[in-house]
Amino acid sequence: MLNISGLNEGIVLDHIQAGKSLDIYYHLGLDKLDCQVAIIKNARSNKMGRKDIIKIEGPMENIDLDILGYIDHNITVNIIRGDHIVEKKALKLPQKITNVIRCKNPRCITSIEQELPDVFYLADEKTETYRCMYCEEKYNKNV
Ligand SMILES: [Zn+2]
């Protein structure tokens, strides 16, 4: 049973790969939020051996689930309200990600027009391959 004590309303990210919680903390921009955040590293897990957990106080809107799904879609998102888990969300690879990865093609328009957002779309779910929306440059997240 997941311990959610101290959290009346918020989000608990469970089943984070051990050691990845700080990466996720920064990718989600949690360092820029004023809300209370607790990071638990190397918690014992029956399923994973060791795992990290992040508890975030406050409303769901603080969290970009697309970025989270992109980083690791095996993370479980628990929504807490009134000291109870009211919803568990499964993540999946987002169809489109904006400003998470950069296109490496030097001839891509995003390399020339710096103010354009970097937009990648999911080209192949099985191999977790993304492609730049502008120039089709491939980006495989597992490499
Ligand atoms: Zn590109």
Side-chain angles (χ1 to χ4, degrees):
M1 191 55 202
L2 188 64
N3 177 17
I4 56 158
S5 62
L7 201 64
N8 179 259
E9 188 190 348
I11 301 139
V12 176
L13 307 179
D14 195 13
H15 303 118
I16 299 170
Q17 233 179 302
K20 290 280 182 199
S21 51
L22 269 185
D23 281 359
I24 289 169
Y25 178 80
Y26 287 112
H27 273 296
L28 289 177
L30 296 178
D31 54 321
K32 295 179 194 82
L33 292 179
D34 291 329
C35 60
Q36 192 177 305
V37 178
I39 296 178
I40 297 142
K41 289 177 73 176
N42 296 319
R44 252 180 287 277
S45 160
N46 294 332
K47 202 162 96 183
M48 302 167 72
R50 297 271 165 181
K51 65 177 179 182
D52 288 1
I53 300 167
I54 302 179
K55 300 181 189 184
I56 306 148
E57 185 193 38
M60 189 67 209
E61 294 83 75
N62 287 341
I63 306 301
D64 189 328
L65 291 180
D66 279 352
I67 293 182
L68 202 58
Y70 171 74
I71 298 169
D72 184 353
H73 57 275
N74 295 313
I75 293 170
T76 312
V77 180
N78 299 281
I79 319 272
I80 314 295
R81 220 166 288 139
D83 297 316
H84 293 286
I85 299 174
V86 292
E87 196 184 343
K88 276 182 191 281
K89 272 185 190 292
L91 294 172
K92 52 182 185 185
L93 280 174
Q95 291 301 317
K96 207 172 92 177
I97 45 171
T98 306
N99 291 331
V100 180
I101 46 180
R102 286 202 61 96
C103 184
K104 292 195 188 90
N105 175 7
R107 286 187 305 275
C108 179
I109 187 155
T110 58
S111 304
I112 302 152
E113 310 251 345
Q114 298 290 338
E115 66 277 12
L116 274 178
D118 283 277
V119 184
F120 279 73
Y121 68 90
L122 183 60
D124 188 340
E125 200 165 347
K126 219 185 274 166
T127 58
E128 304 192 353
T129 302
Y130 281 83
R131 280 181 188 277
C132 174
M133 196 184 79
Y134 307 97
C135 73
E136 299 282 313
E137 176 88 351
K138 235 205 246 181
Y139 190 98
N140 191 315
K141 73 180 283 256
N142 294 320
V143 178

